[in-house]
Amino acid sequence: MTAMDVMQVVAAAVVEQERLLLVSKKIAPEVFYLPGGKPEDGESAEQTLVRELNEELGVSPLDMNLLGHVEDVAVLEGVPMRLTVFVTQIDGSPTPAAELATLGWTNGRDSYIPLLAPAIRNQVLPLLAQSGVFGAMSTPADRP
């Protein structure tokens, strides 16, 4: 498989008050992701994130720091995906727009966890916990 066969996606991990910002799309409002999207031709990952956060949430990222890259299958498209995740703060209160249905905030131990796209739940959340950006995640066995 070549890099051309892999869908490139850029996302923001926004943590405020020990909660992670999540969004869902109108096409599948029951699945939650990190805000972000696909780069347009010639866009860097950082430029993509600035554009997507503005279009989707009406905010701009501040101090973007690369968390890492995750490879998985995109849940809606069913194709291989490479997700580039930046940890960032935002410059205002996010409001869903464009293709977004809603937004939410998770503490990593709540009802959002089973609704998360697999790449977010299984790979990004552990990366955030390992990096110290977001609290330790509970496993299903840890929950009452």
Side-chain angles (χ1 to χ4, degrees), residues 106-130:
T106 182
N107 64 10
R109 298 172 303 279
D110 55 31
S111 60
Y112 280 108
I113 300 308
L115 305 176
L116 292 177
I120 306 305
R121 182 178 55 247
N122 300 332
Q123 295 189 56
V124 175
L125 289 183
L127 274 176
L128 287 166
Q130 289 167 10

Side-chain angles (χ1 to χ4, degrees), residues 23-102:
V23 297
S24 70
K25 297 180 181 179
K26 292 175 184 171
I27 192 169
E30 70 285 353
V31 179
F32 284 82
Y33 312 82
L34 297 180
K38 300 177 198 87
E40 293 181 353
D41 288 341
E43 262 185 343
S44 69
E46 293 85 352
Q47 290 168 328
T48 299
L49 202 54
V50 168
R51 178 181 51 77
E52 288 285 346
L53 289 177
N54 182 50
E55 289 174 3
E56 292 182 348
L57 296 169
V59 297
S60 295
L62 308 168
D63 297 327
M64 290 183 277
N65 295 299
L66 181 65
L67 176 68
H69 304 281
V70 169
E71 296 190 5
D72 208 320
V73 173
V75 69
L76 292 182
E77 295 86 351
V79 299
M81 166 190 70
R82 184 169 198 253
L83 180 64
T84 301
V85 181
F86 288 91
V87 174
T88 187
Q89 296 300 306
I90 50 177
D91 68 351
S93 296
T95 303
E99 72 269 13
L100 295 186
T102 191

